[in-house]
Amino acid sequence: MPIYEFLCRECGARFEALVAASTEAEECRECGAPGATRVMSTPAQVPKLVRSAVGNRRQEAKNRTLHQAAKSDFKAKRERARAKGAKK
């Protein structure tokens, strides 16, 4: 059973009800008047996945540090491999 939104013509209250899909009218939850009509619900707002400017700068700084560490590690391993190859 889906949840539908209803609007009461008597008191103007909007409410949700868990009713059968074919239900077009429902008794008002506020005033008890019969004939509250089913209306279209407003769509949910899309969440924003944006970080703050401070958080972005912090993450960019971490990325730079990790990049430099990986680059230094790669260069050190390459030099060790070259030195090992030159000994043979």
Side-chain angles (χ1 to χ4, degrees):
M1 293 174 93
I3 296 176
Y4 287 109
E5 192 169 336
F6 291 88
L7 175 64
C8 179
R9 294 178 192 252
E10 297 292 323
C11 67
R14 285 180 84 103
F15 61 93
E16 294 178 342
L18 182 64
V19 295
S22 60
T23 305
E24 292 295 324
E26 181 75 10
E27 184 178 296
C28 179
R29 306 292 163 108
E30 297 291 322
C31 68
T37 56
R38 194 167 77 182
V39 294
M40 295 292 288
S41 299
T42 56
Q45 189 174 21
V46 177
K48 294 181 181 178
L49 302 175
V50 178
R51 295 185 192 190
S52 67
V54 173
N56 285 343
R57 285 193 297 270
R58 216 177 279 139
Q59 185 62 47
E60 288 171 359
K62 286 180 185 178
N63 290 348
R64 272 193 302 276
T65 303
L66 289 171
H67 178 74
Q68 288 298 327
K71 194 174 180 179
S72 297
D73 187 45
F74 173 78
K75 286 182 178 181
K77 286 180 181 178
R78 184 179 60 192
E79 288 302 316
R80 283 195 300 268
R82 285 183 179 167
K84 193 176 189 181
K87 289 181 181 178
K88 291 183 178 181

